[in-house]
Amino acid sequence: MKLKLQLLSAVLFTTALVACSPEATKTVEPVIEIESQEEGHDLQATNWSYTGDTGPESWGELDQTYASCVNGSEQSPINIEFSNVATKDMNATLGIQYEQTSFSVVNNGHTIQVDNSSETNKITLDGTDYRLVQFHFHTPSEHQFNGQQFPLELHLVHQNDKEELAVLGVMIQEGVENESLSSLWAGLPKEKTTDSSLMNENVNLQDLLPKEPALFYYEGSLTTPPCTEKVRWVLLEQPIEMSKKQIEAFQEIIPHNSRPVQPLNEREINKN
Ligand SMILES: [Zn+2]
């Protein structure tokens, strides 16, 4: 019985490992979590947030596995000063292959996350395929352009066969209603849910992306605990639009889920 409870706790804990984590609603190595509990780990201590004692400034102290949040040297998000972006020729090539597929949506308490189960949605970065795992939103935007934040930011989280991550980030500004997202927005889960629910309509994420191909590349991290590094970030320079009503509908459910910008340190930002 005790083991069952621990397993349940582990599953609940791992499903709470959200946002930029690729492991969505899958259970991530629950055995490890059981072990850490047996070592007297306080499950509450890993209950991170965006404000107060469990907010971003404290993430690194909440759990030993979150050490990168405070010790890391290549953390995300960052501010991108356009004047500091390297203009040298880039070898990086990005191919985006999204198709009309079904998704399931979950409110994990930190964001609204949309899980992908299709094999067809993927990007190719420098010749390597990264399959789309999930996408989710932050408000206000986590990345900044010349110190400017946007009302929302979309993160499309991908993983390759070596379980390396590549995240495509898209800024969202206020403008016309975004019809590509209207079906998702019509069913945004208002309360935290443990299970994801299948969306009524299929979505083609290709329709969502801006037309201009300008991209920023840099090496960073997950923007949520455990702040794991070696994440390849690709940010689209051109924002997409959503209506004020759509932006507010998200903010009514998730008022604030944005990590402050992190030091750039020795990193270079490149542009295609
Ligand atoms: Zn994110």
Side-chain angles (χ1 to χ4, degrees):
M1 185 61 190
K2 193 181 172 196
L3 181 64
K4 267 190 188 168
L5 275 173
Q6 284 176 334
L7 269 169
L8 181 63
S9 301
V11 169
L12 287 173
F13 171 78
T14 48
T15 51
L17 271 180
V18 280
C20 278
S21 164
E23 292 296 347
T25 47
K26 287 187 283 182
T27 52
V28 194
E29 298 171 3
V31 174
I32 288 172
E33 299 310 326
I34 289 167
E35 280 172 0
S36 60
Q37 259 196 293
E38 282 171 351
E39 285 162 15
H41 226 70
D42 181 1
L43 197 64
Q44 286 298 316
T46 53
N47 200 5
W48 59 273
S49 75
Y50 285 98
T51 53
D53 293 344
T54 54
E57 304 307 319
S58 307
W59 288 351
E61 284 97 54
L62 293 177
D63 189 298
Q64 59 189 7
T65 63
Y66 297 175
S68 292
C69 301
V70 68
N71 296 334
S73 58
E74 298 196 334
Q75 289 288 292
S76 295
I78 57 168
N79 172 39
I80 294 184
E81 281 293 328
F82 288 8
S83 58
N84 289 344
V85 172
T87 51
K88 66 180 182 190
D89 278 348
M90 286 285 301
N91 291 323
T93 54
L94 176 75
I96 299 174
Q97 297 144 62
Y98 293 152
E99 292 176 19
Q100 187 99 13
T101 58
S102 64
F103 292 93
S104 51
V105 60
V106 62
N107 175 342
N108 58 34
H110 297 288
T111 189
I112 306 288
Q113 181 172 300
V114 185
D115 294 327
N116 176 52
S117 55
S118 159
E119 291 295 326
T120 55
N121 288 312
K122 62 179 181 181
I123 61 171
T124 307
L125 195 53
D126 295 343
T128 302
D129 282 351
Y130 291 77
R131 195 181 72 84
L132 179 69
V133 181
Q134 48 101 338
F135 63 93
H136 61 266
F137 301 85
H138 296 270
T139 185
S141 72
E142 297 202 297
H143 287 93
Q144 298 179 12
F145 288 168
N146 300 317
Q148 185 201 348
Q149 275 183 300
F150 293 80
L152 284 176
E153 182 174 343
L154 162 65
H155 287 164
L156 297 135
V157 183
H158 307 76
Q159 194 171 48
N160 70 12
D161 288 342
K162 295 177 186 169
E163 300 197 344
E164 295 163 334
L165 299 177
V167 185
L168 201 57
V170 187
M171 303 297 154
I172 302 175
Q173 66 185 8
E174 188 181 314
V176 297
E177 184 182 344
N178 192 313
E179 290 178 6
S180 307
L181 287 173
S182 56
S183 62
L184 170 61
W185 247 240
L188 287 180
K190 291 185 171 50
E191 306 291 337
K192 186 175 172 180
T193 50
T194 48
D195 298 318
S196 59
S197 55
L198 198 63
M199 285 173 59
N200 291 333
E201 289 177 43
N202 291 356
V203 175
N204 190 342
L205 292 171
Q206 200 86 43
D207 299 338
L208 200 57
L209 299 177
K211 299 288 172 276
E212 278 179 31
L215 305 166
F216 299 109
Y217 296 86
Y218 82 97
E219 298 288 326
S221 73
L222 303 179
T223 66
T224 57
C227 306
T228 313
E229 297 191 331
K230 306 270 181 241
V231 174
R232 296 192 68 178
W233 277 93
V234 183
L235 299 172
L236 288 94
E237 181 177 354
Q238 189 187 15
I240 58 171
E241 293 187 355
M242 289 181 72
S243 66
K244 188 167 191 271
K245 200 175 161 189
Q246 285 179 311
I247 292 167
E248 287 175 351
F250 182 88
Q251 291 171 334
E252 274 173 27
I253 301 170
I254 309 281
H256 180 272
N257 63 341
S258 181
R259 187 189 194 193
V261 289
Q262 303 295 306
L264 184 61
N265 296 326
E266 306 302 317
R267 285 176 288 178
E268 263 193 358
I269 306 163
N270 292 298
K271 194 178 176 189
N272 64 334

